[in-house]
Amino acid sequence: MDDARARALLAELRADALARLAALGEAHGDVVDAARGANVDDEHDPEGATIAFERAQLEALAADARRRLEEVDAALARLAAGTYGRCAVGGEPIDDARLAARPTAATCVAHA
């Protein structure tokens, strides 16, 4: 994969991760705000999932988005350093099909 295509793809993934983080932050705020006026005994809420569960689920999704952002930033750093597309373990080239499927890949399939 050429550098320009990789850079564009990684920039798109980075923007997506940032947008997901922003949306999840808003959703978390909504859950917290809703809890203020709700029954404090959310463990026995007949409406379904507890507020604590909803918060935990949003926090897990946000952690996933932050990990994705870290992977993208690491890939962009490898691109800047000239090591993007080379396996971090063995140094061999990473197949273009792998990079197309997983642009943040730091290893070849054999070392994945």
Side-chain angles (χ1 to χ4, degrees), residues 33-78:
D33 289 344
R36 284 192 187 110
N39 180 0
V40 259
D41 186 17
D42 72 338
E43 293 300 320
H44 299 95
D45 183 1
E47 299 289 322
T50 66
I51 293 169
F53 174 80
E54 289 178 19
R55 274 196 318 254
Q57 188 175 31
L58 289 170
E59 288 166 5
L61 291 170
D64 182 57
R66 283 190 294 275
R67 273 191 302 276
R68 182 68 166 164
L69 189 57
E70 289 171 4
E71 288 176 355
V72 170
D73 286 344
L76 286 167
R78 289 192 304 276

Side-chain angles (χ1 to χ4, degrees), residues 14-27:
R14 190 172 201 288
D16 179 60
L18 288 171
R20 282 188 12 207
L21 277 172
L24 289 166
E26 289 177 25

